[in-house]
Amino acid sequence: MCGIVGYVGPNSSLDVLLAGLSRLEYRGYDSAGVAVIDDAGHIGTRKRAGKLKELLGELEETPLNDGKTGIGHTRWATHGGPNDSNAHPHLGDNGKLALIHNGIIENFSELKQEMLDAGESFTSETDTEVAAIMVGREYRATGDLTESMRRVVARLEGAFTLLIVHEDSPGVVVGARRNSPLVIGLGDGENFLGSDVAAFVGFTRRAMEIGQDQIVTIRPDSVLVTDFDGAAVQNTEYEVAWDASAAEKGGWASFMAKEISEEPEAVANTLRGRIHDGAVTLPELAVLDDVVLAGINRVIVIACGTAAYAGAVGKYAIEKWARVPVEVELSHEFRYRDPILDERTLVVSISQSGETMDTLMAVKYAKASGARVLSICNTQGSTIPRESEAVIYTHAGPEVAVASTKAFVAQITALYLLGLHLAQVRGTLSAEAIAENVEELRAVPEKITEVLEVSKSIGQLAHWMTDTQSVLFLGRHVGYPIAMEGALKLKELAYIHAEGFAAGELKHGPIALIEPGQIVFVVVPSPRDPSSLHPKVVSNIQEIRARGARVIAIAEQGDAAVLPFADEVIPIPLAGSFFEPFLAVVPLHIFSMELAMAKGLDVDQPRNLAKSVTVE
Ligand code: M6R
């Protein structure tokens, strides 16, 4: 939520900031703004409500003197509506200092009153402006930008990443972070700050983490990191595993279309190096060694949104394979209900971004309560992995579209690897059974590629549905979370009311929603499924058909039992029942994207959303 970029070096800071903002825009797009210290030592700012293109238009109409020090911001509004005056940067010290912020300053009302009492005035409704004014006052007192930041962060409560520049300190950007992300990009004679590495990966792939409650001061040739008390700290440098081209559209109509096409690769890359001779190897779990994992008596998966649906798919497999109870809970519900945790509880957090505040808080809580904490994450160097004892990285590559697609299948892959690893350690599956499942996993990427091929016709299906008011999704067993995921995608992209149900639950109430013409997607289990759920779901289809619903079934190739009752059938290749989610979800991702496009909506940046939800 909110993208932040900072630059000091020999080059045009406007070029760096605007390139960074275009890569960070997925974090929020309610407004954008920049502040630059020009070569004459004056600070200039431009900011505009709306997407980055509005700011670009503004810069064209009223150009800004460029310079070599600057900060830039793209906003997801929390305090104060998305208008020009609430856009960042905010100014302090009579306009000589500019500040940008990601997060929420929870005690801003009392601080604002204190500033008003001291004679300061405000031009916005944001919580951020109070920090700008406070740092400006401290700078007047100390003349030291880092010290001013230190004094102010000591008084702030909540979550924040702050960046500041002051025209009397050209060539310096100071940043601070508590519970919100900030990463350093290390260049040659230039340095960068960003909410994530996408901000600067076009300029350097050398990055350095910034820990919790730390302040960083960058100059062209130096980087100094201290804690909030001023003690120097040494952080770890790392190489970003992907280059700038991975975060570009590369000829696709949208990032979402590109990322759906990368679903096979996301699975294959997450498997790479982790399966050998029909068994799973996860060296990254060293801290959670076999003794620890053999001793756990419960797994709690915590996540939000799509990541939570991946967790719900994983629950079925982990329980089946490792014979350990698995609960799946939304991070924000888990955190505030006083859950019972001990050292035999394994908490598994799932997050694409590694920055989701609800999940981060739940991870910290679980750790403090004595549970063992493992994370599944797609973003190297992000906060959640750093707060966890061990991490299984998904290797889906950068996911830019706000709607999560390739990360979802990569998360299920990581959960399945974990489930099989637990089964190995706990001796709950034979070596042959493990090898069979590993083989199924290995075959997934190719099967997703087949689904992508047959799903090309979904666009036509979507085109006649642009006036649809409501769509229902049904599934059972591992198909149930897929129904939920299908509904979430449709809501967030096409702004259509959608609900996912367990098909067995239909007769307990939701069937009352069925009226002639109601569109219902049904994820049909394989007719070969040993649990014999197939005939039950086919009966559900008949029940809704009898009441006039229009049924679109996602069913295994050759499933003749479905044909007479479905209006449309989207065929998926044969796979073991635990592996159907990888295949059934793909047409649903494509459908929501196509329908949103048919309605003329922006599929990469749906309204009111942000990619990385860094506020609670
Ligand atoms: O970065 P995370 O995986 O922690 O994000 C969790 C959710 O915010 C995310 O999956 C969200 O639901 C997506 N917009 C769904 O497409």
Side-chain angles (χ1 to χ4, degrees):
M1 238 135 216
C2 299
I4 278 184
V5 55
Y7 175 74
V8 274
N11 297 317
S12 150
S13 56
L14 258 184
D15 285 353
V16 176
L17 299 179
L18 295 175
L21 289 182
S22 76
R23 288 191 197 285
L24 291 179
E25 201 181 12
Y26 68 94
R27 301 181 73 96
Y29 29 85
D30 286 332
S31 63
V34 287
V36 169
I37 300 176
D38 67 21
D39 292 338
H42 299 304
I43 201 161
T45 59
R46 293 288 182 275
K47 52 189 194 171
R48 266 285 168 267
K51 294 192 175 175
L52 183 59
K53 62 178 183 340
E54 304 300 330
L55 175 67
L56 298 179
E58 166 74 6
L59 283 165
E60 224 162 79
E61 270 175 39
T62 350
L64 192 58
N65 285 340
D66 206 351
K68 299 179 174 57
T69 309
I71 53 178
H73 187 266
T74 175
R75 178 171 187 242
W76 185 83
T78 57
H79 293 57
N83 56 34
D84 288 352
S85 40
N86 290 331
H88 300 210
H90 291 282
L91 302 178
D93 196 10
N94 297 319
K96 294 202 277 181
L97 173 136
L99 175 146
I100 54 177
H101 167 219
N102 171 22
I104 293 178
I105 299 169
E106 286 171 0
N107 58 337
F108 91 98
S109 304
E110 56 203 76
L111 294 173
K112 186 168 180 174
Q113 192 53 55
E114 188 184 315
M115 291 298 110
L116 288 168
D117 293 345
E120 299 286 352
S121 56
F122 288 77
T123 57
S124 79
E125 305 149 295
T126 63
D127 52 339
T128 304
E129 195 177 4
V130 77
I133 286 172
M134 288 173 74
V135 183
R137 288 168 69 90
E138 293 297 347
Y139 189 84
R140 280 206 293 276
T142 63
D144 180 329
L145 212 48
T146 309
E147 179 57 23
S148 309
M149 178 72 104
R150 187 167 295 123
R151 289 183 179 195
V152 171
V153 292
R155 303 206 51 209
L156 304 183
E157 288 166 18
F160 49 82
T161 298
L162 300 170
L163 293 194
I164 48 173
V165 289
H166 193 292
E167 65 178 28
D168 294 344
S169 293
V172 184
V173 180
V174 178
R177 74 166 287 248
R178 165 177 289 163
N179 292 331
S180 286
L182 185 62
V183 194
I184 307 167
L186 301 165
D188 196 5
E190 59 184 352
N191 287 302
F192 308 78
L193 292 170
S195 299
D196 62 54
V197 297
F200 50 72
V201 75
F203 303 98
T204 180
R205 286 170 68 179
R206 283 173 57 217
M208 187 184 274
E209 298 170 353
I210 304 177
Q212 177 71 335
D213 287 359
Q214 293 183 353
I215 294 180
V216 54
T217 305
I218 58 165
R219 295 185 165 84
D221 46 14
S222 71
V223 170
L224 177 68
V225 187
T226 63
D227 63 19
F228 277 6
D229 296 324
V233 286
Q234 205 56 53
N235 286 342
T236 325
E237 186 182 325
Y238 62 97
E239 179 89 6
V240 180
W242 45 275
D243 64 19
S245 64
E248 273 158 17
K249 276 192 216 163
W252 289 87
S254 63
F255 279 108
M256 188 175 178
K258 173 178 178 252
E259 287 161 10
I260 291 173
S261 82
E262 290 168 347
E263 291 193 24
E265 242 178 280
V267 174
N269 289 341
T270 302
L271 289 176
R272 185 154 299 123
R274 288 168 168 160
I275 48 184
H276 299 285
D277 301 327
V280 170
T281 331
L282 291 173
E284 54 269 74
L285 297 192
V287 187
L288 299 170
D289 62 22
D290 294 3
V291 178
V292 174
L293 293 181
I296 56 157
N297 60 10
R298 198 156 63 114
V299 175
I300 304 181
V301 177
I302 50 173
C304 299
T306 284
Y309 297 140
V313 173
K315 170 188 164 78
Y316 290 87
I318 297 173
E319 284 194 340
K320 179 78 179 169
W321 295 336
R323 305 311 295 153
V324 59
V326 181
E327 295 157 46
V328 182
E329 200 162 351
L330 295 169
S331 311
H332 34 91
E333 289 299 315
F334 167 86
R335 165 65 185 86
Y336 294 102
R337 73 167 169 85
D338 198 7
I340 300 159
L341 303 169
D342 60 27
E343 71 290 349
R344 296 191 68 195
T345 312
L346 177 66
V347 170
V348 180
S349 87
I350 310 175
S351 175
Q352 187 285 129
S353 60
E355 300 293 351
T356 298
M357 184 60 74
D358 292 313
T359 304
L360 174 61
M361 289 303 162
V363 162
K364 287 186 175 186
Y365 178 82
K367 217 167 63 170
S369 309
R372 309 305 305 254
V373 180
L374 162 69
S375 288
I376 291 176
C377 183
N378 195 43
T379 310
Q380 218 184 344
S382 56
T383 310
I384 292 173
R386 283 212 305 275
E387 293 290 335
S388 310
E389 289 180 79
V391 53
I392 303 177
Y393 279 107
T394 50
H395 297 299
E399 195 180 61
V400 177
V402 164
S404 190
T405 53
K406 62 177 179 172
F408 178 71
V409 289
Q411 286 160 351
I412 300 175
T413 309
L415 284 160
Y416 280 19
L417 288 170
L418 174 65
L420 292 171
H421 179 73
L422 287 174
Q424 283 168 187
V425 169
R426 299 163 72 86
T428 48
L429 277 188
S430 67
E432 294 73 38
I434 299 223
E436 269 170 35
N437 285 304
V438 161
E439 224 16 74
E440 285 269 13
L441 262 179
R442 209 198 282 279
V444 164
E446 211 178 304
K447 292 182 185 176
I448 299 182
T449 307
E450 275 182 57
V451 182
L452 287 169
E453 205 44 48
V454 297
S455 299
K456 284 185 176 149
S457 58
I458 291 177
Q460 289 150 20
L461 198 64
H463 271 79
W464 61 257
M465 287 194 204
T466 48
D467 294 329
T468 302
Q469 301 293 312
S470 162
V471 179
L472 305 182
F473 293 80
L474 301 181
R476 268 189 99 131
H477 193 255
V478 283
Y480 170 33
I482 296 303
M484 306 286 284
E485 164 67 359
L488 174 62
K489 282 293 166 293
L490 198 60
K491 284 182 247 196
E492 74 176 327
L493 289 165
Y495 316 152
I496 288 177
H497 170 257
E499 279 193 69
F501 296 110
E505 189 65 8
L506 199 65
K507 55 192 176 295
H508 298 287
I511 198 163
L513 291 170
I514 306 292
E515 55 187 10
Q518 171 69 52
I519 293 161
V520 185
F521 276 81
V522 185
V523 179
V524 184
S526 163
R528 301 169 297 111
D529 178 25
S531 62
S532 67
L533 284 174
H534 178 266
K536 297 187 198 329
V537 172
V538 174
S539 301
N540 295 144
I541 293 179
Q542 293 179 50
E543 288 153 17
I544 55 175
R545 241 335 252 295
R547 290 161 176 85
R550 231 185 127 79
V551 174
I552 302 165
I554 300 170
E556 191 174 276
Q557 283 159 13
D559 182 348
V562 168
L563 291 176
F565 312 111
D567 297 273
E568 303 278 346
V569 178
I570 302 167
I572 56 172
L574 274 61
S577 37
F578 285 109
F579 301 87
E580 286 163 14
F582 289 106
L583 313 177
V585 79
V586 176
L588 298 182
H589 283 165
I590 295 176
F591 172 72
S592 53
M593 176 184 73
E594 290 284 353
L595 185 45
M597 277 165 39
K599 290 180 76 171
L601 301 172
D602 182 341
V603 294
D604 286 338
Q605 297 180 340
R607 71 183 176 201
N608 304 337
L609 290 170
K611 180 74 181 158
S612 193
V613 184
T614 53
V615 292
E616 265 192 285

